Amino acid sequence: MRHRRPDDRRPPWGVRRTLLSATAATVVLHGWLVLAVWLGLPSASPVGFLPFVFVAFAALVAFGRWLARTGLPLALLGLLPVLAALQGGWLAAGDEVLLSRGKPVEVLVTAESAQRLKAGIDYTYDLRNPDGSPGSLDPGVGTRLTVGSRVTVVEDPDGLVATQLPGRQDPTVPLVFACLGVASLVAAIVVTAVLGERRRVRNATTR
């Protein structure tokens, strides 16, 4: 049996394994969230994030079993942080892009669609740009435009993010939510990894 020397300050393998496994889980999951936000930027609605949320939930279950041999607690702890990180990151990134390079454009409102939500009625609109190309706009729950009218919107020349009404661009609040979601998700992963390592140590010493 190899004894550690008094001056050997390296952490035991169990601690290193916990740190490495928690770091790997954090990197993989947050990489997936960043990809989801990037792919979802052109959309005017967060509904497209549902497949990414389902995959993230499954990943949380897998990570929970890997880190602590129990997946459901981590999945339940991490679901709300995942939603906050996705929603906040998506809104903050879109607002920042429009603030940095968005251009005001006068467009024609050509059609209206309505969807009833718990918060109210969400109206979405088909637009016609000055060059004749089609566009879309989701001005937010409760905001209604007149079909046939011309309105000024802010759009990204490269089409990376969804078009918005002027004055809606403020990345501060959604960025705070995204950061809180990321921090909470990291905390949930670390706690699960530590509990899993303690369980492995306890099982090893009681045999």
Side-chain angles (χ1 to χ4, degrees):
M1 180 177 180
R2 179 178 178 269
H3 297 281
R4 295 179 63 195
R5 294 176 299 177
D7 60 344
D8 188 358
R9 298 182 179 179
R10 292 179 302 172
W13 168 237
V15 175
R16 295 201 299 271
R17 178 177 56 192
T18 300
L19 292 174
L20 289 174
S21 59
T23 300
T26 301
V27 170
V28 171
L29 190 57
H30 283 87
W32 175 252
L33 298 183
V34 169
L35 177 63
V37 169
W38 176 259
L39 294 178
L41 280 178
S43 173
S45 172
V47 176
F49 284 128
L50 289 178
F52 293 97
V53 173
F54 293 147
V55 173
F57 187 83
L60 285 169
V61 172
F63 286 145
R65 293 190 62 83
W66 176 39
L67 297 171
R69 296 184 181 178
T70 175
L72 190 57
L74 178 58
L76 295 178
L77 286 173
L79 183 58
L80 286 180
V82 164
L83 293 174
L86 279 175
Q87 181 82 2
W90 173 63
L91 291 173
D95 287 348
E96 186 60 38
V97 169
L98 290 180
L99 279 175
S100 61
R101 66 186 192 189
K103 302 294 183 182
V105 178
E106 187 178 75
V107 298
L108 176 67
V109 181
T110 58
E112 177 188 78
S113 301
Q115 181 181 8
R116 185 174 296 277
L117 304 175
K118 290 183 178 180
I121 299 178
D122 183 29
Y123 297 98
T124 57
Y125 296 91
D126 294 334
L127 309 175
R128 183 180 301 155
N129 294 312
D131 60 1
S133 61
S136 62
L137 174 67
D138 184 352
V141 176
T143 301
R144 193 170 188 181
L145 307 177
T146 302
V147 176
S149 65
R150 292 187 176 275
V151 296
T152 299
V153 297
V154 179
E155 66 176 22
D156 175 29
D158 296 331
L160 178 63
V161 300
T163 299
Q164 297 182 18
L165 291 176
R168 295 293 181 94
Q169 297 74 44
D170 184 5
T172 305
V173 174
L175 184 60
V176 170
F177 274 101
C179 291
L180 289 175
V182 169
S184 299
L185 187 56
V186 171
I189 292 174
V190 171
V191 168
T192 303
V194 170
L195 292 178
E197 185 60 35
R198 287 183 176 179
R199 174 181 296 178
R200 281 187 288 269
V201 172
R202 184 170 61 250
N203 291 340
T205 56
T206 56
R207 290 176 181 174

